[in-house]
Amino acid sequence: MRILTNDGLPLTLRLARKIMMGLGLFLALSSCDSDNASKEEPNSLVKLKLMTDWYAEPEHGGFYLALIRGYYADAGIDLEITPGNNFINIYQMVATGEIHIGLGTSDTMLKHIGTGIPLVGLYPYFQHDPQGIMFHREQAIESFAELNGRDVMISPVLGYVEYLQNTLDIQMNLIPHDGSLARFIDDKSFIQQAFLTSEPYFVQQGGADPAVLPFWEMGYDPYRLAFSHRKVMEQYPQAIKGFIEASQRGWQEFMAGDTEDVYLY
């Protein structure tokens, strides 16, 4: 099955509604030891830093909504949200304590855990990581097998690439991803990695007619989630519990369409 883009900004929310999962407490609540609650100062806000995986965008909407409406403060948290980008290793920053909570994917988190870094999943806010391969609709690509032997601009460190090459034996000519959409817009034979709720919309504004193969359709399907370090969980168990509950409330309201104050933020 192919997922084809639609026109206009509502694509972002429409796709997000399909992939946002209604799960709340993932690993954190079972890991929060009530004996550690005394480490948190009573009647004071716990300062926590959250770094997103990109500049502020609707894909982070539930977190910003919870911040704007005071849900984190109500949970005893003074939360600072800092936008990330593709030049920052958020997992390493959580590992070294520079930030308390990061956003990323479950597969990458598990890879870091495999190296001995005690990261912990907190809140899987997307059931599927909304990434895929974007191409011009007129190319009529129907399956990932058709990428064999083709030039594809994609980040070579993604788990998807390893899965395509080693598990599915699809050998692409990899072009390092540079974050630009200019080549795609100008070249109707160009193929590249894309975030389903973002890049298709912007290339449409540039006159292209894109279609997308989502990576989850090939059998590699990680969550998109908030994660932390076990030391943070042990030091701030109640604050982490509050972060999860406040984030869930923010996402529920965001997905219900009550978003005006978020876009004005």
Side-chain angles (χ1 to χ4, degrees):
M1 183 183 78
R2 282 188 297 161
I3 288 187
L4 303 180
T5 62
N6 206 335
D7 56 345
L9 185 59
L11 170 66
T12 299
L13 292 179
R14 186 156 49 252
L15 281 174
R17 285 191 176 96
K18 292 181 180 180
I19 58 181
M20 207 293 264
M21 69 184 303
L23 294 181
L25 313 182
F26 182 42
L27 297 177
L29 295 186
S30 61
S31 302
C32 289
D33 185 349
S34 59
D35 293 338
N36 291 322
S38 61
K39 295 182 180 180
E40 297 175 281
E41 293 289 337
N43 303 318
S44 63
L45 297 182
V46 175
K47 294 183 180 293
L48 295 178
K49 294 182 180 180
L50 164 68
M51 178 169 283
T52 66
D53 50 6
W54 197 245
Y55 305 104
E57 56 186 357
E59 289 81 354
H60 309 134
F63 300 109
Y64 282 105
L65 185 149
L67 177 67
I68 294 166
R69 297 184 182 173
Y71 300 155
Y72 294 120
D74 291 344
I77 305 165
D78 179 7
L79 186 72
E80 175 186 342
I81 300 180
T82 302
N85 57 58
N86 60 336
F87 301 109
I88 295 175
N89 187 329
I90 299 174
Y91 302 89
Q92 190 63 37
M93 293 181 71
V94 172
T96 59
E98 294 179 68
I99 56 175
H100 301 98
I101 302 169
L103 300 185
T105 57
S106 57
D107 61 328
T108 306
M109 181 192 73
L110 290 170
K111 286 182 179 179
H112 283 81
I113 292 173
T115 67
I117 300 174
L119 301 179
V120 181
L122 301 181
Y123 176 66
Y125 59 98
F126 281 176
Q127 173 70 55
H128 307 289
D129 179 24
Q131 295 194 75
I133 294 294
M134 181 172 68
F135 53 94
H136 291 267
R137 192 186 303 270
E138 65 187 48
Q139 292 179 273
I141 296 174
E142 297 287 345
S143 71
F144 286 96
E146 296 177 53
L147 300 177
N148 194 51
R150 296 202 189 202
D151 294 338
V152 178
M153 186 167 76
I154 188 171
S155 174
V157 300
L158 289 179
Y160 300 111
V161 174
E162 182 178 352
Y163 186 83
L164 281 164
Q165 294 183 327
N166 297 341
T167 302
L168 302 183
D169 195 27
I170 297 172
Q171 306 305 319
M172 303 169 292
N173 300 318
L174 302 181
I175 301 172
H177 191 265
D178 61 7
S180 173
L181 297 174
R183 293 178 65 180
F184 185 91
I185 293 172
D186 294 338
D187 184 354
K188 291 191 175 183
S189 67
F190 202 70
I191 302 171
Q192 72 175 77
Q193 160 195 345
F195 213 79
L196 277 66
T197 55
S198 180
E199 280 91 347
Y201 168 76
F202 288 110
V203 298
Q204 281 182 330
Q205 304 313 297
D209 184 18
V212 178
L213 281 174
F215 285 133
W216 68 71
E217 289 195 348
M218 68 179 181
Y220 191 94
D221 191 13
Y223 299 130
R224 207 153 193 99
L225 81 171
F227 64 94
S228 187
H229 194 285
R230 184 159 296 279
K231 287 184 179 179
V232 175
M233 308 235 350
E234 293 172 349
Q235 185 174 2
Y236 306 116
Q238 294 304 312
I240 291 298
K241 180 177 183 291
F243 168 80
I244 295 169
E245 293 173 345
S247 298
Q248 177 76 355
R249 182 180 178 186
W251 272 109
Q252 288 174 335
E253 294 180 11
F254 184 78
M255 300 313 298
D258 184 11
T259 60
E260 182 176 355
D261 51 347
V262 179
Y263 288 106
L264 293 175
Y265 179 65

